[in-house]
Amino acid sequence: MAPFKPRVRFAPSPTGYLHIGGARTALFNYLYARRYGGTFILRIEDTDQERSTPESVEAILDGLKWLGLDWDEGPRKEGAHGPYFQTQRLDTYRAHADQLISEGKAFRCYCTREEIAVRREVAEKENRAYRYEGTCYELKAPPAGKKLEDAVIRFRMPTGEGEVSYDDKVLGVITKPYSDLDDWVMMRADGIPLYNYGCVIDDHLMEITLVARGQEHINSTFPQLMLYKALGWTPPDFAHLPLILGPDREKLSKRKHPEADVMLHARTGIMPEALLNFVVRLGWGHGNDEVISREQMVEWFDFDGVGSTSGVWNPEKLQWLNQQWFKLLPPALVAERLTPFLEARGFQARGDARLEPLVVALRERSRTLDEMANTASIYFRTGVTLDEKAAAKHLTGDSLGLLRQAREKLDALPTWTVEPLDGVVKAVSEAASVGMGKVAQPLRVAITGNTTSPGIGETLLLVGREEALRRIDVALARGG
């Protein structure tokens, strides 16, 4: 028997950016495909022609590429099951709709939205759920004043008792009676498929074996299963993922939660490894593991580890994970990603030999690349702004004398490396019979403007001989 190789898909509707919930859906499908040697397919459901602009599509692709979720088939990776945009598949939807109409499993409906709205209002007043009345069931031709192209196409639900059921890979068996399902619209009059119709046709023709998506789509599964049955097709497995809630415990949404935008995190200095790590834990777990690499995700992921309760967005946890990844990734890689943030501040940082040492020095104190760049700016700019409280405490009286002695010894050093730089601080403190902090803190304030920085030797090294001595001279002149 051939090994099981799933075919899974991520099918977003372009809305201007890649949503965090969509990113998690993409990630879970991607991990499942990679674990079992399957195929990860990207399909763009672009039937909302107002929102599905080229820019919106590009935003989806950019978000997936930044996260490293590379697809095997889809836009720019054409395969045998394309095209991968729904608007390029309209003839296929029409052909299957015509087949269902000819078999009496679908029908053309000429009822207007206004007419349906009036009937729905009557049902609400009578305290009953509205169901389509079958007004157009028996029509063989358009009614007076209507044309064939005015009709939507509705699926015709079977009459009588019955139920539709499936075994969700996350939630278990879910069942719904026929009486809860309506004669739903499959295609609009302009030939555009609605979600429940288009995704079934596409999933079958693309040989999708599992559909993993958010729990908001649970109710969509039942009409889709009825359509599979009507067409004589075997449905894929389904897995419905828990919701993601914002910090306010409401569903994470574009309107209320800026953090719903994947690329916002790229712009604020979260690294893709950290965001993937954070997102995978919003609904899936592996024991008590918190920091999880992509390789571990691929090795461990399966839907039996997906929970049914909603995950809650925790910005502090995301920043904590980002800091862990600063320490886990090679400094050269973090430095490469830090560079654009420094360049945005006007510094010519690319290729600077200090970048990697800076990452090592600052990664324990930085939660984002933006934060790291703010701190690193001290080492790239000319001059420094002194914190007045720090200067008042450390650049007066005896401290200035110790700073002046340190300056003389620093200027005389033959090499500007951490060990001799730390040695100067030690020598001055021993000669004055004071603690090393009494020498290091005036130096730190003079060089960085405040009282916090990496070790004083590292700080002097990163600022550089010429700039460090210049800053000390400015501090000495300020103190008189």
Side-chain angles (χ1 to χ4, degrees):
M1 180 182 292
F4 169 64
K5 291 190 175 182
R7 287 179 62 83
V8 299
R9 50 76 165 175
F10 174 49
S13 299
T15 59
Y17 70 85
L18 178 60
H19 191 281
I20 284 289
R24 187 190 61 178
T25 298
L27 174 60
F28 283 12
N29 280 285
Y30 169 90
L31 295 175
Y32 190 70
R34 293 292 174 265
R35 178 175 182 184
Y36 292 105
T39 304
F40 177 51
I41 298 162
L42 175 62
R43 183 174 75 229
I44 304 296
E45 297 189 342
D46 60 339
T47 52
D48 185 339
Q49 294 168 313
E50 286 188 10
R51 296 198 296 174
S52 296
T53 63
E55 293 78 15
S56 291
V57 172
E58 200 63 36
I60 297 287
L61 305 185
D62 288 346
L64 291 173
K65 286 187 285 189
W66 179 72
L67 290 169
L69 301 180
D70 53 309
W71 54 97
D72 303 304
E73 294 179 23
R76 301 174 189 166
K77 290 188 179 181
E78 296 298 322
H81 297 80
Y84 298 94
F85 288 84
Q86 284 193 323
T87 53
Q88 298 172 13
R89 302 172 64 84
L90 299 184
D91 289 345
T92 299
Y93 307 131
R94 174 62 66 182
H96 285 89
D98 288 344
Q99 173 193 333
L100 289 165
I101 291 171
S102 69
E103 295 172 353
K105 298 171 182 175
F107 61 97
R108 291 185 175 86
C109 175
Y110 297 88
C111 301
T112 66
R113 288 184 179 181
E114 292 75 16
E115 290 168 341
I116 296 292
V118 169
R119 298 174 198 169
R120 192 180 302 279
E121 186 177 344
V122 170
E124 289 175 357
K125 288 180 180 178
E126 296 175 354
N127 200 29
R128 59 181 173 83
Y130 174 74
R131 286 174 56 84
Y132 180 75
E133 304 87 341
T135 307
C136 300
Y137 277 172
E138 305 305 326
L139 291 179
K140 304 300 181 186
K146 301 281 187 176
K147 305 186 294 294
L148 195 66
E149 52 266 32
D150 293 331
V152 302
I153 297 176
R154 287 183 181 270
F155 182 82
R156 186 165 185 171
M157 280 294 298
T159 57
E161 297 296 318
E163 62 183 24
V164 56
S165 181
Y166 78 100
D167 190 357
D168 194 287
K169 290 178 75 69
V170 174
L171 302 171
V173 176
I174 307 178
T175 302
K176 190 177 282 287
Y178 286 175
S179 58
D180 282 358
L181 302 176
D182 201 1
D183 297 328
W184 49 278
V185 176
M186 295 165 35
M187 288 181 62
R188 298 190 331 218
D190 60 4
I192 298 295
L194 272 67
Y195 173 72
N196 284 338
Y197 178 63
C199 71
V200 167
I201 303 302
D202 291 340
D203 286 345
H204 175 75
L205 296 180
M206 293 181 181
E207 301 180 12
I208 301 301
T209 61
L210 178 136
V211 171
R213 56 193 179 187
Q215 285 182 8
E216 64 270 24
H217 293 293
I218 290 174
N219 285 333
S220 297
T221 309
F222 300 102
Q224 290 170 19
L225 288 169
M226 296 304 298
L227 180 57
Y228 277 107
K229 183 178 180 180
L231 290 165
W233 295 342
T234 300
D237 290 330
F238 290 91
H240 287 92
L241 314 176
L243 299 177
I244 300 176
L245 306 181
D248 57 1
R249 300 298 176 118
E250 294 191 20
K251 183 182 175 184
L252 198 69
S253 70
K254 179 178 182 179
R255 183 176 59 85
K256 295 189 65 175
H257 305 103
E259 58 267 40
D261 180 0
V262 164
M263 294 308 286
L264 170 73
H265 303 288
R267 295 190 293 273
T268 56
I270 298 295
M271 298 194 297
E273 294 85 357
L275 190 60
L276 284 177
N277 190 162
F278 179 73
V279 166
V280 81
R281 295 286 287 110
L282 290 173
W284 173 85
H286 183 268
N288 295 320
D289 294 283
E290 292 287 352
V291 181
I292 307 174
S293 69
R294 183 193 301 257
E295 293 74 21
Q296 289 170 322
M297 293 180 202
V298 171
E299 179 184 352
W300 296 337
F301 182 81
D302 215 328
F303 287 96
D304 58 6
V306 177
S308 58
T309 57
S310 300
V312 180
W313 189 268
N314 183 335
E316 291 79 19
K317 183 64 170 292
L318 175 58
Q319 291 186 347
W320 177 83
L321 281 169
N322 205 48
Q323 188 174 51
Q324 305 314 302
W325 281 101
F326 281 156
K327 294 181 278 189
L328 287 170
L329 292 171
L333 177 58
V334 180
E336 180 183 332
R337 294 173 179 176
L338 175 64
T339 300
F341 288 85
L342 289 167
E343 290 176 338
R345 288 161 169 78
F347 302 119
Q348 298 298 316
R350 193 164 300 277
D352 195 303
R354 295 175 295 171
L355 279 173
E356 287 186 46
L358 264 173
V359 166
V360 173
L362 301 180
R363 61 190 178 185
E364 293 284 353
R365 298 173 175 83
S366 304
R367 296 169 298 172
T368 68
L369 290 169
D370 192 60
E371 197 173 277
M372 187 180 286
N374 271 340
T375 306
S377 297
I378 295 169
Y379 302 95
F380 284 91
R381 66 169 58 104
T382 300
V384 67
T385 301
L386 294 176
D387 178 88
E388 288 302 323
K389 287 185 178 179
K393 182 176 181 180
H394 296 287
L395 296 181
T396 57
D398 293 342
S399 296
L400 285 175
L402 295 171
L403 181 60
R404 189 170 289 106
Q405 293 175 45
R407 198 269 186 222
E408 292 172 1
K409 290 185 178 297
L410 289 170
D411 191 28
L413 285 177
T415 58
W416 195 264
T417 56
V418 171
E419 188 173 349
L421 290 169
D422 282 335
V424 166
V425 175
K426 184 178 181 181
V428 172
S429 65
E430 287 178 349
S433 299
V434 297
M436 289 179 64
K438 294 291 186 180
V439 181
Q441 283 299 75
L443 274 171
R444 184 172 279 112
V445 172
I447 293 166
T448 69
N450 56 57
T451 57
T452 59
S453 78
I456 192 62
E458 284 181 284
T459 301
L460 288 162
L461 174 67
L462 292 168
V463 171
R465 180 195 292 266
E466 182 179 336
E467 178 65 15
L469 294 176
R470 197 189 70 78
R471 292 183 187 184
I472 294 170
D473 287 341
V474 169
L476 287 169
R478 179 185 187 281

